[in-house]
Amino acid sequence: DGGITQSPKYLFRKEGQNVTLSCEQNLNHDAMYWYRQDPGQGLRLIYYSQIVNDFQKGDIAEGYSVSREKKESFPLTVTSAQKNPTAFYLCASKTGGTSSYEQYFGPGTRLTVT
Amino acid sequence: SQKIEQNSEALNIQEGKTATLTCNYTNYSPAYLQWYRQDPGRGPVFLLLIRENEKEKRKERLKVTFDTTLKQSLFHITASQPADSATYLCALDLNQAGTALIFGKGTTLSVSS
């Protein structure tokens, strides 16, 4: 089955700890994205990567970091510098260029920091 | 300021009726507009894309219109079913590279039988 997997589905951390969210895709997509979704808010872009070993900040990158060492993997680290880390995190991917525009989303990881 | 608004947070209709969801935007010039469906606790799923030079797009029971003069898109589900109950998100695609998708907050549709 082709798709995007995110793990874990639920994650609990204490304040002050860094935590890494996993995102893997086997769709052979070039571009990958991380979004954050809060209740009553639209999805907001954290980071995106259009090719391996390259990534760009989105609208709300502060307190987050990413890496793109392999085409199929785009992990997101939520650092202790992120002021309000509790949220639903969504990873997405799409083919590169303009051959297709829709994004394919993973099932999400719900992070709770106390 | 730039805004994207989905007018209703919630919409309740009866099975068999047509659901119409609205997406309005200001101070953007999107090349494309996309609609996604999101079920509770899950990631969004792409439904339809409409280009700025297209007035209407259809897919089975779904129809999307795009009026760049009014800066508005309408999303219709005809012959609605309880299984259509979900949150529907519109997203402005500003640069065709997927790096500038601006999402609305969504409208939660409930279809009762």
Side-chain angles (χ1 to χ4, degrees), chain B residues 7-112:
Chain B
N7 287 19
S8 304
E9 282 193 17
L11 182 64
N12 300 304
I13 64 168
Q14 283 207 307
E15 184 175 8
K17 302 291 186 186
T18 296
T20 299
L21 285 63
T22 306
C23 178
N24 294 296
Y25 58 93
T26 55
N27 295 322
Y28 285 115
S29 297
Y32 302 82
L33 191 144
Q34 302 184 26
W35 284 90
Y36 289 79
R37 168 182 173 142
Q38 186 175 24
D39 290 287
R42 305 188 70 150
V45 174
F46 172 80
L47 295 175
L48 279 169
L49 176 150
I50 187 164
R51 293 172 170 76
E52 61 180 335
N53 60 354
E54 295 176 320
K55 295 293 184 189
E56 182 179 298
K57 200 76 166 283
R58 290 176 186 261
K59 179 182 176 182
E60 297 171 353
R61 294 184 296 111
L62 308 180
K63 184 178 86 171
V64 173
T65 62
F66 192 13
D67 188 326
T68 54
T69 302
L70 291 178
K71 295 187 181 298
Q72 179 181 79
S73 175
L74 299 179
F75 177 80
H76 307 272
I77 306 175
T78 58
S80 59
Q81 305 164 0
D84 296 325
S85 298
T87 297
Y88 292 86
L89 309 174
C90 71
L92 305 182
D93 189 337
L94 301 184
N95 66 5
Q96 306 173 36
T99 55
L101 271 188
I102 311 297
F103 282 87
K105 296 178 184 180
T107 295
T108 298
L109 173 67
S110 297
V111 182
S112 54

Side-chain angles (χ1 to χ4, degrees), chain A residues 21-33:
Chain A
L21 282 59
S22 166
C23 177
E24 304 277 330
Q25 54 100 357
N26 61 5
L27 299 167
N28 200 34
H29 285 170
D30 291 309
M32 297 187 73
Y33 309 84

Side-chain angles (χ1 to χ4, degrees), chain A residues 3 69 97 103:
Chain A
E69 296 175 4
Q103 294 192 6

Side-chain angles (χ1 to χ4, degrees), chain A residues 35-54:
Chain A
Y35 293 92
R36 169 183 174 137
Q37 188 174 35
D38 296 281
Q41 298 233 24
L43 276 67
R44 291 182 291 168
L45 183 64
I46 305 172
Y47 267 98
Y48 65 95
S49 168
Q50 294 184 277
I51 55 171
V52 174
N53 291 323
D54 186 56

